[in-house]
Amino acid sequence: MALSTSSVITLHINGEKHTLPVDHRTTLLDALRERLDLTGTKKGCDQGQCGACTVLVDGRRKVACLQLAVAAEGREITTIEGVADGDHLHPVQQAFLELDGYQCGYCTPGQICSAIGMLAEHAAGWPSAASDDVRPAAGPPPLTPDEIRERMSGNLCRCSAYTSIVEAVARAADADAASASDGPAQSREAAA
Ligand code: FES
Ligand code: FES
């Protein structure tokens, strides 16, 4: 008996369910762009090297070109189309806008999704290769420009808008910290 090469799957994307038949080899990126018309997620290298296709899967950063659509079934997927709250931009989007964290904008959806995931990783206390103190008890390291560069290093920008991207991520982190507490945000001084 021949094995089936396709399945009908249901993807949960930006709070909506999408049921569609897919070839088992279809990547999440192609399902988003070619099948569901969610073209905000960009295809750059299509081999996991540029970060242009970054989306959030269960809140974690994923390069959608290396994720099979069938493997994403049942997970909560957030694309750039789903990060704003209605007419209110996500703080990371707002910071990119205010600080010109883009030029052509091609890498921007991936940069923004990656920054949202990265800030959550940092808030959870995850160290990076740039962290001076990686002991769990040390808590989240100061979100210095070096920390931001290291944590965002999977996202390339052909226009080299990196300086503004780092500033935008730092500003969004400040906004997060300010909304979480009335105390001073640790990244404000570090990014200055
Ligand atoms: S398109 Fe997926 S990492 Fe480049
Ligand atoms: S703004 Fe053009 S690739 Fe990043």
Side-chain angles (χ1 to χ4, degrees), residues 2-169:
L3 291 176
S4 172
T5 59
S6 64
S7 297
V8 176
I9 62 171
T10 299
L11 296 177
H12 299 224
I13 305 169
N14 303 330
E16 291 184 13
K17 288 185 180 178
H18 301 264
T19 299
L20 67 164
V22 293
D23 184 288
H24 293 157
R25 296 163 293 185
T26 304
T27 64
L28 177 59
L29 176 59
D30 284 342
L32 292 171
R33 289 185 55 84
E34 310 297 336
R35 305 295 303 283
L36 299 172
D37 210 23
L38 290 165
T39 54
T41 304
K42 300 297 186 250
K43 181 182 283 190
C45 64
D46 206 19
Q47 52 185 320
Q49 295 186 351
C50 73
C53 64
T54 303
V55 297
L56 298 169
V57 178
D58 291 341
R60 301 273 296 272
R61 300 186 275 179
K62 290 279 183 195
V63 281
C65 66
L66 294 186
Q67 167 105 45
L68 291 175
V70 290
E73 187 166 32
R75 320 283 294 275
E76 292 298 331
I77 301 160
T78 304
T79 69
I80 192 66
E81 289 91 347
V83 301
D85 180 10
D87 290 337
H88 296 284
L89 294 180
H90 188 281
V92 174
Q93 287 177 302
Q94 188 66 40
F96 268 67
L97 193 61
E98 292 171 358
L99 293 168
D100 291 332
Y102 48 81
Q103 290 179 32
C104 77
Y106 197 82
C107 72
T108 311
Q111 299 274 11
I112 287 173
C113 286
S114 190
I116 293 170
M118 175 277 255
L119 290 173
E121 291 163 16
H122 175 263
W126 293 17
S128 81
S131 304
D132 287 333
D133 191 342
V134 298
R135 292 172 300 173
L143 203 49
T144 63
D146 279 350
E147 279 282 354
I148 294 172
R149 288 189 194 98
E150 171 62 26
R151 291 168 186 266
M152 293 292 294
S153 61
N155 290 78
L156 305 182
C157 174
R158 71 187 76 184
C159 300
S160 215
Y162 294 115
T163 302
S164 298
I165 290 170
V166 171
E167 290 175 357
V169 173

